[in-house]
């Protein structure tokens, strides 16, 4: 907690922006899931689990998403979205 307090205003701004990006990514993810005729619960795989969390987080959450939505290919979806996210980030950042 002391390190968080030492970060001050810049860290608070960064934390707020990160939370905002997570919410926006999940909103877009739910929209993508609906657009591509996936269960709405799969939207987290189109969003922050894969894009912010990466491959490991997508694979870790896949059983929960598969159980709640009936989407048996949740892990494949998460890995695919995370891979596309890495490629786009490399192209934009490069």
């Amino acid at each position: 907690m002391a390190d968080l307090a030492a970060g001050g205003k810049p860290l608070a701004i960064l934390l707020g922006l990160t939370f905002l990006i997570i919410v926006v990514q999940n909103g877009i993810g739910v929209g993508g899931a609906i657009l591509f005729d996936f269960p709405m619960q799969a939207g987290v795989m189109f969003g922050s689990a894969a894009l912010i969390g990466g491959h490991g987080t997508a694979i870790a959450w896949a059983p929960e998403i598969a159980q709640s939505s009936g989407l048996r290919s949740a892990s494949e979806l998460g890995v695919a979205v995370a891979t596309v996210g890495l490629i786009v980030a490399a192209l934009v950042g490069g």
Side-chain angles (χ1 to χ4, degrees):
M1 292 307 278
D3 288 338
L4 290 175
K9 185 177 178 179
L11 182 60
I13 292 171
L14 182 63
L15 187 61
L17 288 173
T18 302
F19 284 139
L20 179 67
I21 294 291
I22 289 171
V23 170
V24 168
Q25 280 185 345
N26 285 334
I28 292 171
V30 168
I34 293 169
L35 179 69
F36 291 111
D37 201 29
F38 282 90
M40 193 167 48
Q41 297 92 332
V44 73
M45 286 299 180
F46 283 98
S48 67
L51 298 177
I52 289 181
H55 292 87
T57 304
I59 291 169
W61 277 99
E64 183 70 29
I65 299 299
Q67 182 181 18
S68 69
S69 69
L71 180 66
R72 295 190 337 217
S73 61
S75 59
E76 290 86 352
L77 176 65
V79 169
V81 172
T83 302
V84 169
L86 281 175
I87 291 169
V88 170
L91 292 173
V92 171

